[in-house]
Amino acid sequence: DVQDKVVSVSLGLALDGTGFQIIPHYDKDSERISTSYLIRVGEQFPSFDPDRYIEDKPQVVSVPMKGRLSYRKARWFDRDRMALLDMIELIENAKHDPEVDGIAFNLSGLESSRELLWEVREKLKEFKASGKQVYMYVDRAGMFTYYFASVADKVWIDPAGTLVLPGMVAGRTFWKGFLEKIGLGSEEFRYFTYKSAFEMLSRRDMSEPDREQRLAMIADLYDEWRGGIVEARGISADTLDAIVDSVIALNADDALAAGLVDTVASWSDVRELVEAWNGTKPELRSRRDVAAYSFADPAWGEPPKVAVVYAIGDCDLDTGIRGRYTSRTLNKLAKRKDVRAVILRADSPGGDALPSDLVAREMKALAEKKPMIVSQGSVAASGGYWISMYGSRIFTSPLTLTGSIGVIGGFVWNENFSEKTGFTYDRVQIGRHADLGEGVTLPLIGVAIPDRPFTDEERHGAERLIRGWYDDFTAKVADGRLLTQSYVDSIGQGRIWSGPRALELGLVDEIGGLDNAIVHARTASGLPAHGRRVEVIEFPPRSWVNPEDFGQSGGALGLAAAWLGLRAEPDMKIADDYELRYYRRISQNPGEPLFMVHPADLPAEE
């Protein structure tokens, strides 16, 4: 027998977290034979949002940028930071929200590294390509803040505003003369041409290799800066060079005359300006009112996940990249079936080889089970490249500094410090080298000053160690990047490279930001690039509050933070003062001598 056809009609209501449906079933004679009732608990996309309605007026999202653009922010009360992923999500949602016609950014008080600005700028180029408008307001803007602003369809400057466009410089402070005056000797254990981190303590000026690599570094950064502005503003490269070389700062009228901005006005004039440019006065919307990008996802169950693991700051076991924590996290993520791919965000100038290798080993093991992708930030050099080299795909940016494959060491000792200060040291010992690194310990700060330099025998031992570590480093890079070790050595030697140069040399795979890495993680794990909901989870998880806010507060909040042991997360912006950061790291532990032999930092980001 042929079963009679049954016709079902579904009528239901889907809200954000619940849904109800009535499904009557009819036979071929239109007689109802049964009724099904369905109650749903849990999110479904898309769903009806009673707060959304279509406005006749154009909608422009107002985005204040006061504060620090960073990798993460606390979940509550953290008004001083803006998270990169949150900003990317905002722009993506605004692009797909049919009510949104444009975004207006107020850049007053913005703090950010140049690379994070590049990532958001690239996302705004996608937003513009969708046919929507970008507006930027500046009051005081430096080189890269203006570079960021230039992507907008319209840029305006405050009547009392200034653009400071002096060019780019890369320098450092040298301590050798000071060390001599206080009676400290210094020696650099340098066996690789461009590994120059210890020069600040062993020289009075730059070596020629360091001068060469620094000049090439800022030339690449300047080319990207100039090229981006020329493309966005339609100004010739010669004109822009002339502006940089003629004046340090431009007032509002100068900036307008030079074609760097479109008009002069206050931020409060934003609605009138958009009306003048587009013909209709817009309604300003808060970024919190931008509708989430919704799509129909027919899949059952929890959405698949992509993990983003942040390795930010110096390569250290318990601070910075937190080698112990990060390696354990990668090990756990390798075993999680719901995590389809992992992205390591590497933004580190280097440091200790041990935490770098702990992370790299777990990355290599994870890459055998699922996509292990690297997204480089402002700096991913020395130890920062060590934690990049095993990525199945490495993304970098035009403003990233990477490479610096090399190892360096150095030593500071008591040459005649005792004669100058009166502090003396004496000892008993067993073993010829037991006193190496021992000496006067300064009161209050607890820094130990070794009492003597290396002997020739000890110096040869240090060289053997450093060359052995370098051989291990280059062998691992060759293994991770499918290159020959001799080739890695030829582009290594401690040399710093910009992102595009690193791409040419085979040290990275693609120019792109964290957003590009997430899209690649989806496709590499067998998910569609779009159309399937994927949850991005972050490690370390976001804190509920920003401990910095508590620590800077007086009274009960500060005392509570101290009592609870709240510690601020690692600073997401690589410090500009490279020399001081470097000196602190090799002398910060009480009783520890001023001695360091490990993959070292690269120059500061300017």
Side-chain angles (χ1 to χ4, degrees), residues 58-287:
Q59 304 285 298
V60 173
V61 182
S62 172
V63 183
M65 296 289 284
K66 184 177 183 298
R68 188 176 64 191
L69 181 61
S70 185
Y71 285 112
R72 295 181 300 151
K73 63 176 294 182
R75 303 180 194 185
W76 294 345
F77 311 122
D78 193 352
R79 297 185 177 181
D80 295 331
R81 294 187 296 180
M82 299 163 285
L84 173 62
L85 280 179
D86 290 350
M87 188 61 62
I88 289 172
E89 182 181 23
L90 168 66
I91 298 169
E92 183 71 11
N93 289 340
K95 183 175 73 173
H96 292 281
D97 190 329
E99 299 179 25
V100 172
D101 297 276
I103 303 180
F105 289 84
N106 182 345
L107 303 189
S108 180
L110 169 64
E111 300 176 31
S112 176
S113 71
R114 61 180 183 268
E115 197 279 335
L116 293 186
L117 290 177
W118 176 83
E119 292 202 44
V120 179
R121 192 179 191 272
E122 289 295 295
K123 196 67 183 176
L124 288 173
K125 288 165 72 173
E126 293 180 16
F127 181 84
K128 289 175 58 179
S130 71
K132 300 187 178 187
Q133 302 289 302
V134 176
Y135 311 97
M136 294 276 187
Y137 163 81
V138 298
D139 50 13
R140 295 188 179 98
M143 292 286 286
F144 281 101
T145 301
Y146 177 71
Y147 166 82
F148 175 69
S150 68
V151 75
D153 296 280
K154 298 294 182 181
V155 182
W156 78 99
I157 189 171
D158 193 88
T162 53
L163 299 182
V164 182
L165 309 176
M168 297 182 189
V169 63
R172 69 188 340 173
T173 299
F174 294 88
W175 291 51
K176 185 173 177 58
F178 169 73
L179 295 180
E180 288 178 348
K181 287 183 180 295
I182 62 173
L184 296 179
S186 62
E187 181 176 5
E188 181 182 38
F189 302 149
R190 178 173 174 177
Y191 310 107
F192 311 107
T193 307
Y194 296 98
K195 200 68 177 176
S196 61
F198 208 81
E199 283 189 4
M200 56 171 287
L201 299 179
S202 63
R203 293 178 58 93
R204 289 181 169 82
D205 57 5
M206 288 185 193
S207 65
E208 285 308 310
D210 194 37
R211 190 178 302 277
E212 173 193 345
Q213 70 175 343
R214 284 171 176 265
L215 181 58
M217 174 183 74
I218 62 173
D220 287 345
L221 297 183
Y222 184 81
D223 286 347
E224 170 60 30
W225 177 85
R226 177 177 57 189
I229 295 172
V230 166
E231 178 185 14
R233 297 293 304 175
I235 301 172
S236 73
D238 291 341
T239 298
L240 194 56
D241 288 340
I243 292 171
V244 169
D245 287 336
S246 60
V247 290
I248 297 174
L250 297 88
N251 62 27
D253 292 335
D254 294 336
L256 180 62
L260 298 175
V261 300
D262 296 289
T263 193
V264 178
S266 301
W267 167 252
S268 59
D269 299 321
V270 55
R271 294 180 67 207
E272 289 74 17
L273 290 175
V274 174
E275 180 182 17
W277 287 323
N278 293 337
T280 306
K281 183 174 290 189
E283 290 292 334
L284 293 184
R285 292 174 55 180
S286 166
R287 59 185 175 185

Side-chain angles (χ1 to χ4, degrees), residues 549-563:
D549 294 338
F550 285 84
Q552 293 168 1
S553 302
L557 288 180
L559 292 174
W563 185 77

Side-chain angles (χ1 to χ4, degrees), residues 2 13 16-17 27 71 143 310 336 555 581:
V2 179
L13 177 65
D16 189 38
D27 62 17
Y71 285 112
M143 292 286 286
Y310 296 101
R336 284 184 56 170
R581 184 181 69 252

Side-chain angles (χ1 to χ4, degrees), residues 10 89 104 125 146 148 150 208 214 218 228 300 311 335 354 372 404 425 448 461-462 493 548 560 583 586:
S10 175
E89 182 181 23
K125 288 165 72 173
Y146 177 71
F148 175 69
S150 68
E208 285 308 310
R214 284 171 176 265
I218 62 173
W300 288 82
K335 301 172 184 176
L354 176 57
M372 174 69 252
S404 192
Y425 171 78
Q493 296 287 318
E548 292 179 2
Y583 188 77
I586 62 175

